[in-house]
Every structure is written in structure tokens, then in C-alpha cells.
Amino acid sequence: LDNFEVNAKGGALITDLHTALTQMPVEKQYTNIVIVCGSVDLEKDKTHEEIVSDFEAIMLSSSLRADKTTVCGALPRADKDLNEKRVKVNDGLRIACENVNATYIDMDNTFLLRNGNVNVAHLVQDGLHLSKHGVDILLRNCNIPLKTNVTSAFTNARYKQQTPINFKGHEHPFSNF
């Protein structure tokens, strides 16, 4: 994991991610910046169009700092209303990624069961946040090497710390899950 960096921001809003991204030096080029769409903004009063527009701004900032941008769609949720909005956001993100030549990763294939229900084995008891197994699957979907210190960074950021955790690396995942 030489030159690998993780910046996990549990509970962050899209605007927080954009601020963190724009504070990165432009001359510091990454191979890939991975942005994970979380559920915090889905719970706010923003429309799915506004959320997608905010992500388009993040993708533009990312293109100045990396050779490639990867956007992971918001993970499935058990809440029906939130899930309907999530599907609309993900559809918009898929199109936005095509428009700016970014890679979109659909998480539904690995986070939903065949019957369409959320696989609760990937979540902790609150039914919203990812378990260690869920984090491993998310990282695998993003082609991020599964190393203990990387998965710990995501888990620690969500449950123990409110400050970013950084590791050296080839990719720079931003997350607000």
C-alpha cells in the first residue's frame, strides 16, 4: 500500500467533501480519487437533482487532482422513501459520470439480496452504517486493496473519530457513508 491515502469522513455532507477536496494541493496528482456517495445528504431536504449537481462539482475538482475519478453510488437502505431517492440520485450520478468521463460503481449488486432486500449482514445493528464486512465489500467494489489499516480507517472514522484518517497510497477515497 505504498502511496495510498484514505480520507474517511463519517457523517459528512457533500459540501464537506468538496471543501476537503478543494483543500488538497492541485499539484499533488493522484492516480484515482474514489468518492463514495453516503446517505446523509439523502436525508436532507435537497432534491436528487441538487445532490447530483453537488457531486458534479466534486467530480470537476477531482479531475484537477487525479488522472481518474471514480464515484460509488449510494448504498441501498431499508427505509423505502430514502431508498427511492437514493435510486434517483444513483441514476443521476451514473449519467453525470458518463458526461465527465468518470467511472461509476453501482453498489446494488453486492449490497442487495436476490429478492431486492438490503443484505443486513453488511450493516451494523443500526441498519444504516456498514459493518467491517460491509466496508470490505465496498473497498473491494472500488478496487481498493483490502488491508487491515485501510478497513480500520473507514471503521474508525465512522465510529470513533470525527477527523480524517490518512494513509499513503495510489487512490484517495472520500466517503460520507
Side-chain angles (χ1 to χ4, degrees):
L1 284 180
D2 293 337
N3 200 20
F4 193 93
E5 189 173 333
V6 174
N7 189 339
K9 293 181 176 288
L13 296 169
I14 295 170
T15 52
D16 298 328
L17 300 180
H18 191 235
T19 299
L21 183 61
T22 56
Q23 291 174 350
M24 292 170 52
V26 177
E27 65 274 2
K28 184 176 183 180
Q29 286 293 306
Y30 291 91
T31 304
N32 189 12
I33 293 180
V34 180
I35 305 161
V36 181
C37 180
S39 62
V40 175
D41 284 283
L42 296 177
E43 296 170 350
K44 303 293 182 196
D45 290 332
K46 287 185 171 186
T47 66
H48 67 276
E49 294 96 344
E50 290 171 318
I51 294 170
V52 171
S53 177
D54 289 344
F55 265 90
E56 288 173 331
I58 291 174
M59 287 186 265
L60 286 173
S61 291
S62 173
S63 68
L64 298 173
R65 292 159 177 84
D67 299 328
K68 177 181 175 185
T69 297
T70 302
V71 176
C72 300
L75 300 172
R77 301 294 181 206
D79 180 291
K80 184 180 178 187
D81 292 334
L82 188 63
N83 202 51
E84 287 176 8
K85 187 175 183 181
R86 178 197 69 84
V87 168
K88 289 179 183 178
V89 166
N90 285 349
D91 288 343
L93 289 176
R94 186 179 293 108
I95 293 167
C97 284
E98 289 172 7
N99 292 340
V100 298
N101 200 28
T103 301
Y104 176 80
I105 298 176
D106 187 346
M107 295 292 178
D108 287 4
N109 295 336
T110 51
F111 282 89
L112 290 178
L113 300 171
R114 288 182 184 164
N115 65 6
N117 291 333
V118 176
N119 187 339
V120 294
H122 302 334
L123 304 173
V124 294
Q125 289 180 342
D126 68 3
L128 177 66
H129 297 103
L130 294 177
S131 64
K132 182 186 179 315
H133 179 67
V135 170
D136 288 348
I137 291 171
L138 176 114
L139 294 173
R140 192 175 306 117
N141 287 351
C142 298
N143 296 315
I144 297 172
L146 297 179
K147 296 289 184 179
T148 304
N149 60 348
V150 175
T151 57
S152 295
F154 279 92
T155 304
N156 290 341
R158 182 66 197 118
Y159 301 106
K160 296 178 186 172
Q161 300 181 15
Q162 296 301 314
T163 56
I165 299 169
N166 297 296
F167 294 96
K168 293 281 185 187
H170 292 296
E171 302 191 24
H172 192 117
F174 276 93
S175 169
N176 64 338
F177 59 82

